[in-house]
């Protein structure tokens, strides 16, 4: 009887193994993407990213994991950095995510970089993107640097940029990416956007504002943070 029981058990185990081999595996669940915080530039607003946010949704990002913030673009970028910190914390709290991605346009890159470098942001950001950011300044700031704090900080050689770019331009374990245009009329020189230690990509000749609505730039951005 024992011999029969052992034989039956062995047969059952063999059948289970065959069934496991023949049955299709359960489909793997798609990983939920990091939440994304979009940060506009000088004289901009959250609406600047309407089209890109739509592209992200169409590519599989849940709507509740995408947030475009607004801030006063005339205030110091240091003040904006603190607001970005608060928005990152709020986005993490709403979604339960450990880290977020940040996508910026133009001056939005400066406040977000200050947050990363000086306000502990490297612990909470996975990917960071600068679209046409004046990371090393722009001579276009001459039209307003005498009157507006944020504009003065965008001037080449400003105290703000000197502090921001001292030492490591891309601190922490964050995945940094920049996308710059070879004919950006607002960022002069065009190569100001490029950061040491980042993945720096030329998107060809794209006007500054069109970086926000270019299908190619949007696709490159999604691929980078995916």
């Amino acid at each position: 009887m024992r011999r029969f029981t052992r034989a039956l058990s062995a047969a059952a185990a063999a059948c289970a193994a065959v069934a496991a081999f023949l049955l299709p595996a359960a489909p793997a669940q798609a990983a939920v993407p990091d939440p994304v915080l979009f940060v506009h530039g000088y004289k901009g607003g959250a609406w600047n990213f309407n089209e890109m946010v739509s592209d992200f949704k169409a590519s599989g990002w849940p709507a509740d994991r995408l947030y475009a913030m607004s801030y006063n673009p005339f205030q110091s970028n240091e003040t904006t950095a603190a607001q970005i910190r608060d928005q990152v914390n709020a986005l993490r709290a709403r979604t339960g995510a450990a880290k977020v991605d940040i996508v910026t346009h133009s001056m939005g890159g400066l406040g977000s970089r200050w947050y990363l470098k000086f306000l502990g942001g490297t612990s909470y950001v996975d990917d960071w993107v600068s679209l046409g950011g004046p990371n090393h300044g722009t001579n276009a700031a001459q039209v307003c640097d005498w009157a507006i704090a944020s504009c003065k900080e965008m001037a080449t050689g400003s105290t703000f940029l000197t502090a921001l770019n001292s030492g490591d331009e891309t601190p922490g374990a964050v995945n940094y990416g920049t996308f710059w245009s070879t004919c950006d009329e607002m960022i002069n020189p065009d190569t100001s956007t490029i950061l040491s230690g980042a993945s720096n990509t030329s998107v060809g000749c794209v006007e500054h504002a069109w970086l926000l609505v270019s299908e190619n730039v949007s696709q490159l951005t999604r691929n980078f943070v995916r």
Side-chain angles (χ1 to χ4, degrees), residues 96-122:
K99 293 187 176 184
V100 308
D101 298 330
I102 296 180
V103 175
T104 72
H105 177 244
S106 195
M107 190 184 72
L110 302 186
S112 58
R113 286 183 61 207
W114 194 274
Y115 158 63
L116 290 170
K117 189 163 188 172
F118 298 114
L119 301 183
T122 56

Side-chain angles (χ1 to χ4, degrees), residues 64-139:
D64 63 356
R65 298 178 82 82
L66 302 170
Y67 182 71
M69 67 176 285
S70 287
Y71 63 92
N72 176 1
F74 305 128
Q75 68 193 7
S76 169
N77 286 290
E78 292 186 43
T79 302
T80 302
Q83 294 174 343
I84 292 171
R85 175 198 59 202
D86 294 343
Q87 292 293 348
V88 167
N89 290 342
L91 187 54
R92 291 176 56 239
R94 287 198 303 271
T95 61
K99 293 187 176 184
V100 308
D101 298 330
I102 296 180
V103 175
T104 72
H105 177 244
S106 195
M107 190 184 72
L110 302 186
S112 58
R113 286 183 61 207
W114 194 274
Y115 158 63
L116 290 170
K117 189 163 188 172
F118 298 114
L119 301 183
T122 56
S123 297
Y124 306 110
V125 175
D126 187 14
D127 301 300
W128 174 90
V129 171
S130 172
L131 305 176
N135 291 314
H136 296 96
T138 175
N139 62 20

Side-chain angles (χ1 to χ4, degrees), residues 70-221:
S70 287
Y71 63 92
N72 176 1
F74 305 128
Q75 68 193 7
S76 169
N77 286 290
E78 292 186 43
T79 302
T80 302
Q83 294 174 343
I84 292 171
R85 175 198 59 202
D86 294 343
Q87 292 293 348
V88 167
N89 290 342
L91 187 54
R92 291 176 56 239
R94 287 198 303 271
T95 61
K99 293 187 176 184
V100 308
D101 298 330
I102 296 180
V103 175
T104 72
H105 177 244
S106 195
M107 190 184 72
L110 302 186
S112 58
R113 286 183 61 207
W114 194 274
Y115 158 63
L116 290 170
K117 189 163 188 172
F118 298 114
L119 301 183
T122 56
S123 297
Y124 306 110
V125 175
D126 187 14
D127 301 300
W128 174 90
V129 171
S130 172
L131 305 176
N135 291 314
H136 296 96
T138 175
N139 62 20
Q142 295 172 1
V143 301
C144 55
D145 62 3
W146 54 275
I148 298 172
S150 61
C151 192
K152 182 176 182 179
E153 292 167 351
M154 287 192 287
T156 303
S158 69
T159 301
F160 176 87
L161 286 177
T162 298
L164 186 60
N165 293 321
S166 64
D168 191 352
E169 293 187 346
T170 51
V174 179
N175 184 30
Y176 292 86
T178 77
F179 296 93
W180 61 283
S181 167
T182 56
C183 57
D184 191 322
E185 77 282 8
M186 297 303 297
I187 306 301
N188 301 302
D190 301 330
T191 54
S192 173
T193 301
I194 294 173
L195 289 172
S196 176
S199 173
N200 301 293
T201 303
S202 168
V203 297
C205 185
V206 181
E207 291 183 14
H208 189 66
W210 280 87
L211 291 167
L212 290 160
V213 296
S214 162
E215 291 184 12
N216 179 52
V217 173
S218 180
Q219 181 67 67
L220 289 170
T221 301

